[in-house]
């Protein structure tokens, strides 16, 4: 995933059940994994998106981002402030 060395956000897209999550977790073993499929996690991201993102210290894999689309705007602000590559793998 060489793009993560250049860009702060990398999106992996493909057909349902095609192995995207498995691929990303294998490619970024040191990135914490967060799934927004979990209702409690989704509530935290929806209720306080800025606080949710601020708790992430380094790169992170966020799965099922489509469950909280407004989080993308907060991610943009977060990325604009730091600019570090590989912050978010979605």
């Amino acid at each position: 995933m060489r793009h993560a060395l250049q860009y702060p956000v990398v999106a992996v897209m493909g057909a349902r059940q095609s192995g995207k999550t498995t691929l990303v977790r294998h490619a970024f073993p040191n990135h914490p994994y967060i799934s927004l499929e979990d209702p409690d996690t989704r509530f935290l991201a929806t209720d306080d998106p800025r606080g949710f993102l601020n708790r992430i210290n380094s790169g992170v894999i966020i799965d099922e981002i489509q469950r909280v689309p407004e989080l993308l705007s907060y991610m943009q602000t977060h990325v604009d402030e730091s600019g570090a590559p590989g912050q978010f793998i979605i």
Side-chain angles (χ1 to χ4, degrees):
M1 295 281 184
R2 60 185 161 84
H3 293 298
L5 298 173
Q6 294 179 292
Y7 301 102
V9 180
V10 175
V12 177
M13 298 184 291
R16 184 170 151 66
Q17 298 292 313
S18 62
K20 297 177 300 292
T21 299
T22 301
L23 171 71
V24 168
R25 291 186 83 173
H26 179 74
F28 300 97
N30 296 322
H31 280 44
Y33 172 80
I34 298 171
S35 175
L36 296 176
E37 186 68 34
D38 176 67
D40 293 332
T41 305
R42 188 168 57 241
F43 173 77
L44 291 172
T46 304
D47 188 53
D48 182 14
R50 192 175 315 278
F52 178 79
L53 293 176
N54 284 338
R55 283 186 280 253
I56 300 168
N57 295 326
S58 61
V60 65
I61 299 165
I62 300 179
D63 205 358
E64 303 295 337
I65 191 76
Q66 75 277 5
R67 299 281 188 178
V68 188
E70 61 274 12
L71 192 58
L72 294 168
S73 292
Y74 289 91
M75 285 172 56
Q76 180 178 354
T77 302
H78 192 83
V79 164
D80 288 348
E81 289 174 3
S82 74
Q87 290 179 57
F88 298 102
I89 311 300
I90 59 174

Short mmCIF file of all heavy atoms in Angstrom, two decimals, residues 19-62:
data_model
loop_
_atom_site.label_atom_id
_atom_site.label_comp_id
_atom_site.label_asym_id
_atom_site.label_seq_id
_atom_site.Cartn_x
_atom_site.Cartn_y
_atom_site.Cartn_z
N GLY A 19 -12.73 -9.34 0.39
CA GLY A 19 -11.47 -9.43 1.13
C GLY A 19 -10.79 -8.11 1.40
O GLY A 19 -9.60 -8.08 1.75
N LYS A 20 -11.50 -7.01 1.28
CA LYS A 20 -10.91 -5.68 1.51
C LYS A 20 -10.38 -5.54 2.94
O LYS A 20 -9.25 -5.12 3.14
CB LYS A 20 -11.94 -4.58 1.23
CG LYS A 20 -12.42 -4.52 -0.20
CD LYS A 20 -13.48 -3.46 -0.39
CE LYS A 20 -14.72 -3.66 0.46
NZ LYS A 20 -15.55 -4.81 0.11
N THR A 21 -11.18 -5.93 3.90
CA THR A 21 -10.78 -5.80 5.31
C THR A 21 -9.59 -6.70 5.60
O THR A 21 -8.63 -6.26 6.26
CB THR A 21 -11.96 -6.15 6.24
OG1 THR A 21 -13.02 -5.22 6.00
CG2 THR A 21 -11.56 -6.05 7.70
N THR A 22 -9.62 -7.91 5.13
CA THR A 22 -8.50 -8.83 5.34
C THR A 22 -7.22 -8.27 4.73
O THR A 22 -6.16 -8.29 5.36
CB THR A 22 -8.83 -10.21 4.72
OG1 THR A 22 -10.02 -10.71 5.33
CG2 THR A 22 -7.69 -11.19 4.92
N LEU A 23 -7.32 -7.75 3.53
CA LEU A 23 -6.16 -7.16 2.85
C LEU A 23 -5.59 -6.00 3.64
O LEU A 23 -4.38 -5.93 3.89
CB LEU A 23 -6.57 -6.68 1.45
CG LEU A 23 -5.51 -5.85 0.71
CD1 LEU A 23 -4.35 -6.73 0.29
CD2 LEU A 23 -6.13 -5.16 -0.48
N VAL A 24 -6.44 -5.09 4.06
CA VAL A 24 -5.99 -3.88 4.76
C VAL A 24 -5.40 -4.24 6.12
O VAL A 24 -4.36 -3.70 6.51
CB VAL A 24 -7.16 -2.87 4.89
CG1 VAL A 24 -6.83 -1.76 5.84
CG2 VAL A 24 -7.52 -2.32 3.53
N ARG A 25 -6.02 -5.15 6.83
CA ARG A 25 -5.49 -5.54 8.14
C ARG A 25 -4.13 -6.23 8.01
O ARG A 25 -3.27 -6.09 8.87
CB ARG A 25 -6.49 -6.41 8.89
CG ARG A 25 -7.72 -5.59 9.30
CD ARG A 25 -8.65 -6.36 10.15
NE ARG A 25 -8.18 -6.30 11.53
CZ ARG A 25 -8.85 -6.76 12.56
NH1 ARG A 25 -10.04 -7.30 12.37
NH2 ARG A 25 -8.37 -6.67 13.76
N HIS A 26 -3.95 -6.96 6.94
CA HIS A 26 -2.67 -7.62 6.68
C HIS A 26 -1.61 -6.60 6.26
O HIS A 26 -0.45 -6.67 6.68
CB HIS A 26 -2.84 -8.69 5.60
CG HIS A 26 -1.58 -9.41 5.26
ND1 HIS A 26 -1.00 -10.33 6.09
CD2 HIS A 26 -0.76 -9.30 4.18
CE1 HIS A 26 0.12 -10.77 5.53
NE2 HIS A 26 0.28 -10.16 4.38
N ALA A 27 -2.00 -5.64 5.43
CA ALA A 27 -1.05 -4.64 4.92
C ALA A 27 -0.63 -3.63 5.98
O ALA A 27 0.46 -3.06 5.90
CB ALA A 27 -1.67 -3.91 3.72
N PHE A 28 -1.49 -3.39 6.96
CA PHE A 28 -1.22 -2.41 8.02
C PHE A 28 -1.39 -3.05 9.40
O PHE A 28 -2.28 -2.67 10.17
CB PHE A 28 -2.16 -1.20 7.88
CG PHE A 28 -2.02 -0.49 6.57
CD1 PHE A 28 -2.89 -0.76 5.52
CD2 PHE A 28 -1.02 0.45 6.37
CE1 PHE A 28 -2.76 -0.11 4.31
CE2 PHE A 28 -0.88 1.10 5.17
CZ PHE A 28 -1.74 0.82 4.13
N PRO A 29 -0.53 -4.00 9.73
CA PRO A 29 -0.71 -4.73 11.00
C PRO A 29 -0.53 -3.87 12.25
O PRO A 29 -1.03 -4.24 13.32
CB PRO A 29 0.37 -5.83 10.93
CG PRO A 29 1.40 -5.28 10.01
CD PRO A 29 0.65 -4.44 9.01
N ASN A 30 0.14 -2.74 12.14
CA ASN A 30 0.35 -1.88 13.31
C ASN A 30 -0.71 -0.81 13.47
O ASN A 30 -0.68 -0.05 14.43
CB ASN A 30 1.74 -1.24 13.23
CG ASN A 30 2.84 -2.27 13.30
OD1 ASN A 30 2.75 -3.25 14.03
ND2 ASN A 30 3.87 -2.08 12.51
N HIS A 31 -1.63 -0.72 12.52
CA HIS A 31 -2.72 0.25 12.62
C HIS A 31 -3.87 -0.36 13.44
O HIS A 31 -4.29 -1.48 13.15
CB HIS A 31 -3.27 0.60 11.23
CG HIS A 31 -2.46 1.58 10.46
ND1 HIS A 31 -1.08 1.54 10.38
CD2 HIS A 31 -2.84 2.63 9.71
CE1 HIS A 31 -0.66 2.53 9.62
NE2 HIS A 31 -1.71 3.22 9.20
N PRO A 32 -4.37 0.35 14.43
CA PRO A 32 -5.55 -0.14 15.12
C PRO A 32 -6.72 -0.26 14.13
O PRO A 32 -6.80 0.49 13.16
CB PRO A 32 -5.85 0.94 16.16
CG PRO A 32 -4.65 1.80 16.23
CD PRO A 32 -3.90 1.63 14.95
N TYR A 33 -7.60 -1.20 14.40
CA TYR A 33 -8.75 -1.45 13.54
C TYR A 33 -10.02 -1.03 14.27
O TYR A 33 -10.26 -1.43 15.41
CB TYR A 33 -8.82 -2.94 13.19
CG TYR A 33 -10.08 -3.33 12.46
CD1 TYR A 33 -10.20 -3.10 11.09
CD2 TYR A 33 -11.13 -3.94 13.13
CE1 TYR A 33 -11.35 -3.46 10.41
CE2 TYR A 33 -12.28 -4.30 12.45
CZ TYR A 33 -12.39 -4.06 11.10
OH TYR A 33 -13.53 -4.42 10.43
N ILE A 34 -10.82 -0.19 13.61
CA ILE A 34 -12.11 0.25 14.16
C ILE A 34 -13.18 -0.05 13.13
O ILE A 34 -13.06 0.34 11.97
CB ILE A 34 -12.10 1.77 14.46
CG1 ILE A 34 -11.05 2.10 15.51
CG2 ILE A 34 -13.48 2.24 14.90
CD1 ILE A 34 -10.82 3.59 15.70
N SER A 35 -14.24 -0.72 13.56
CA SER A 35 -15.36 -0.99 12.66
C SER A 35 -16.56 -0.17 13.10
O SER A 35 -17.00 -0.26 14.25
CB SER A 35 -15.73 -2.48 12.68
OG SER A 35 -16.89 -2.69 11.89
N LEU A 36 -17.08 0.60 12.18
CA LEU A 36 -18.28 1.40 12.47
C LEU A 36 -19.55 0.57 12.29
O LEU A 36 -20.65 1.10 12.43
CB LEU A 36 -18.30 2.65 11.59
CG LEU A 36 -17.15 3.62 11.87
CD1 LEU A 36 -17.18 4.79 10.90
CD2 LEU A 36 -17.19 4.11 13.31
N GLU A 37 -19.39 -0.71 12.03
CA GLU A 37 -20.54 -1.63 12.01
C GLU A 37 -21.07 -1.84 13.43
O GLU A 37 -22.25 -2.02 13.63
CB GLU A 37 -20.12 -2.97 11.39
CG GLU A 37 -21.26 -3.94 11.18
CD GLU A 37 -22.25 -3.48 10.12
OE1 GLU A 37 -21.84 -2.85 9.15
OE2 GLU A 37 -23.45 -3.76 10.30
N ASP A 38 -20.15 -1.79 14.41
CA ASP A 38 -20.53 -1.94 15.81
C ASP A 38 -21.36 -0.74 16.25
O ASP A 38 -20.90 0.40 16.14
CB ASP A 38 -19.27 -2.06 16.67
CG ASP A 38 -19.58 -2.13 18.14
OD1 ASP A 38 -20.18 -3.12 18.58
OD2 ASP A 38 -19.25 -1.15 18.86
N PRO A 39 -22.57 -0.96 16.76
CA PRO A 39 -23.45 0.17 17.12
C PRO A 39 -22.85 1.11 18.17
O PRO A 39 -23.03 2.32 18.09
CB PRO A 39 -24.72 -0.50 17.65
CG PRO A 39 -24.72 -1.86 17.03
CD PRO A 39 -23.27 -2.25 16.90
N ASP A 40 -22.14 0.58 19.15
CA ASP A 40 -21.55 1.43 20.19
C ASP A 40 -20.46 2.33 19.62
O ASP A 40 -20.40 3.52 19.92
CB ASP A 40 -20.97 0.58 21.33
CG ASP A 40 -22.05 -0.16 22.10
OD1 ASP A 40 -23.20 0.34 22.16
OD2 ASP A 40 -21.74 -1.24 22.65
N THR A 41 -19.62 1.76 18.79
CA THR A 41 -18.56 2.54 18.15
C THR A 41 -19.15 3.57 17.21
O THR A 41 -18.71 4.72 17.16
CB THR A 41 -17.59 1.61 17.38
OG1 THR A 41 -17.10 0.62 18.28
CG2 THR A 41 -16.44 2.38 16.79
N ARG A 42 -20.16 3.17 16.46
CA ARG A 42 -20.83 4.09 15.54
C ARG A 42 -21.46 5.25 16.31
O ARG A 42 -21.38 6.40 15.87
CB ARG A 42 -21.87 3.33 14.72
CG ARG A 42 -22.47 4.16 13.61
CD ARG A 42 -23.27 3.35 12.62
NE ARG A 42 -24.35 2.58 13.21
CZ ARG A 42 -24.43 1.24 13.17
NH1 ARG A 42 -23.50 0.53 12.57
NH2 ARG A 42 -25.44 0.63 13.72
N PHE A 43 -22.05 4.97 17.46
CA PHE A 43 -22.64 6.04 18.28
C PHE A 43 -21.57 7.03 18.71
O PHE A 43 -21.79 8.25 18.65
CB PHE A 43 -23.35 5.46 19.50
CG PHE A 43 -23.83 6.52 20.45
CD1 PHE A 43 -24.97 7.26 20.17
CD2 PHE A 43 -23.11 6.81 21.61
CE1 PHE A 43 -25.39 8.27 21.03
CE2 PHE A 43 -23.53 7.82 22.47
CZ PHE A 43 -24.67 8.54 22.19
N LEU A 44 -20.41 6.53 19.16
CA LEU A 44 -19.32 7.43 19.57
C LEU A 44 -18.88 8.33 18.42
O LEU A 44 -18.66 9.52 18.60
CB LEU A 44 -18.13 6.62 20.08
CG LEU A 44 -18.33 5.88 21.40
CD1 LEU A 44 -17.13 4.98 21.67
CD2 LEU A 44 -18.54 6.85 22.54
N ALA A 45 -18.75 7.75 17.23
CA ALA A 45 -18.31 8.52 16.06
C ALA A 45 -19.37 9.53 15.64
O ALA A 45 -19.03 10.63 15.17
CB ALA A 45 -17.99 7.58 14.91
N THR A 46 -20.62 9.19 15.80
CA THR A 46 -21.72 10.09 15.41
C THR A 46 -21.94 11.18 16.45
O THR A 46 -22.15 12.34 16.12
CB THR A 46 -23.02 9.29 15.23
OG1 THR A 46 -22.80 8.25 14.28
CG2 THR A 46 -24.17 10.16 14.76
N ASP A 47 -21.87 10.80 17.72
CA ASP A 47 -22.16 11.72 18.82
C ASP A 47 -21.07 12.77 19.00
O ASP A 47 -21.37 13.93 19.28
CB ASP A 47 -22.34 10.92 20.11
CG ASP A 47 -22.83 11.78 21.25
OD1 ASP A 47 -23.86 12.47 21.07
OD2 ASP A 47 -22.18 11.77 22.31
N ASP A 48 -19.81 12.38 18.85
CA ASP A 48 -18.70 13.31 19.03
C ASP A 48 -17.59 12.99 18.02
O ASP A 48 -16.56 12.43 18.38
CB ASP A 48 -18.16 13.21 20.47
CG ASP A 48 -17.03 14.18 20.76
OD1 ASP A 48 -16.81 15.12 19.96
OD2 ASP A 48 -16.35 13.99 21.79
N PRO A 49 -17.81 13.33 16.75
CA PRO A 49 -16.84 12.95 15.71
C PRO A 49 -15.45 13.54 15.94
O PRO A 49 -14.44 12.86 15.73
CB PRO A 49 -17.44 13.45 14.41
CG PRO A 49 -18.61 14.28 14.77
CD PRO A 49 -18.95 14.03 16.19
N ARG A 50 -15.37 14.76 16.40
CA ARG A 50 -14.07 15.39 16.64
C ARG A 50 -13.33 14.66 17.77
O ARG A 50 -12.16 14.34 17.66
CB ARG A 50 -14.23 16.87 16.96
CG ARG A 50 -12.92 17.64 16.94
CD ARG A 50 -13.12 19.13 17.17
NE ARG A 50 -14.20 19.74 16.42
CZ ARG A 50 -14.13 20.13 15.15
NH1 ARG A 50 -13.02 19.98 14.48
NH2 ARG A 50 -15.17 20.69 14.55
N GLY A 51 -14.03 14.39 18.84
CA GLY A 51 -13.43 13.65 19.96
C GLY A 51 -13.04 12.24 19.56
O GLY A 51 -11.99 11.73 19.97
N PHE A 52 -13.87 11.60 18.75
CA PHE A 52 -13.59 10.25 18.25
C PHE A 52 -12.27 10.24 17.49
O PHE A 52 -11.41 9.39 17.73
CB PHE A 52 -14.75 9.81 17.35
CG PHE A 52 -14.58 8.46 16.73
CD1 PHE A 52 -14.82 7.30 17.45
CD2 PHE A 52 -14.20 8.33 15.40
CE1 PHE A 52 -14.67 6.05 16.88
CE2 PHE A 52 -14.04 7.10 14.81
CZ PHE A 52 -14.28 5.95 15.55
N LEU A 53 -12.08 11.19 16.59
CA LEU A 53 -10.85 11.26 15.80
C LEU A 53 -9.65 11.69 16.64
O LEU A 53 -8.53 11.25 16.39
CB LEU A 53 -11.02 12.19 14.60
CG LEU A 53 -11.99 11.70 13.54
CD1 LEU A 53 -12.16 12.76 12.45
CD2 LEU A 53 -11.55 10.38 12.94
N ASN A 54 -9.86 12.56 17.61
CA ASN A 54 -8.76 13.03 18.44
C ASN A 54 -8.19 11.93 19.32
O ASN A 54 -7.05 12.03 19.78
CB ASN A 54 -9.19 14.22 19.31
CG ASN A 54 -9.29 15.49 18.50
OD1 ASN A 54 -8.68 15.62 17.43
ND2 ASN A 54 -10.07 16.43 18.98
N ARG A 55 -8.95 10.88 19.57
CA ARG A 55 -8.46 9.75 20.37
C ARG A 55 -7.50 8.87 19.58
O ARG A 55 -6.85 8.01 20.14
CB ARG A 55 -9.62 8.91 20.88
CG ARG A 55 -10.35 9.54 22.04
CD ARG A 55 -11.37 8.58 22.57
NE ARG A 55 -12.55 8.60 21.74
CZ ARG A 55 -13.70 9.15 22.08
NH1 ARG A 55 -13.84 9.70 23.25
NH2 ARG A 55 -14.70 9.15 21.25
N ILE A 56 -7.43 9.10 18.27
CA ILE A 56 -6.56 8.30 17.41
C ILE A 56 -5.21 8.99 17.31
O ILE A 56 -5.10 10.08 16.77
CB ILE A 56 -7.21 8.13 16.01
CG1 ILE A 56 -8.55 7.43 16.15
CG2 ILE A 56 -6.27 7.39 15.08
CD1 ILE A 56 -9.39 7.49 14.88
N ASN A 57 -4.18 8.35 17.86
CA ASN A 57 -2.85 8.98 17.91
C ASN A 57 -2.03 8.77 16.64
O ASN A 57 -1.20 9.58 16.30
CB ASN A 57 -2.06 8.44 19.11
CG ASN A 57 -2.71 8.85 20.41
OD1 ASN A 57 -3.28 9.92 20.51
ND2 ASN A 57 -2.63 7.99 21.40
N SER A 58 -2.23 7.66 15.98
CA SER A 58 -1.43 7.37 14.79
C SER A 58 -2.35 6.82 13.71
O SER A 58 -3.55 7.00 13.78
CB SER A 58 -0.34 6.36 15.14
OG SER A 58 -0.93 5.16 15.59
N GLY A 59 -1.80 6.15 12.75
CA GLY A 59 -2.61 5.59 11.68
C GLY A 59 -3.68 4.65 12.20
O GLY A 59 -3.51 4.00 13.23
N VAL A 60 -4.78 4.60 11.48
CA VAL A 60 -5.90 3.76 11.90
C VAL A 60 -6.64 3.24 10.67
O VAL A 60 -6.69 3.90 9.63
CB VAL A 60 -6.86 4.54 12.82
CG1 VAL A 60 -7.53 5.69 12.08
CG2 VAL A 60 -7.89 3.63 13.46
N ILE A 61 -7.20 2.07 10.81
CA ILE A 61 -8.09 1.50 9.80
C ILE A 61 -9.51 1.73 10.30
O ILE A 61 -9.84 1.31 11.41
CB ILE A 61 -7.85 -0.02 9.63
CG1 ILE A 61 -6.43 -0.29 9.18
CG2 ILE A 61 -8.87 -0.61 8.67
CD1 ILE A 61 -5.99 -1.75 9.34
N ILE A 62 -10.32 2.42 9.51
CA ILE A 62 -11.72 2.62 9.87
C ILE A 62 -12.56 1.90 8.82
O ILE A 62 -12.60 2.30 7.66
CB ILE A 62 -12.11 4.11 9.95
CG1 ILE A 62 -11.25 4.82 11.00
CG2 ILE A 62 -13.59 4.25 10.28
CD1 ILE A 62 -11.54 6.30 11.14
#
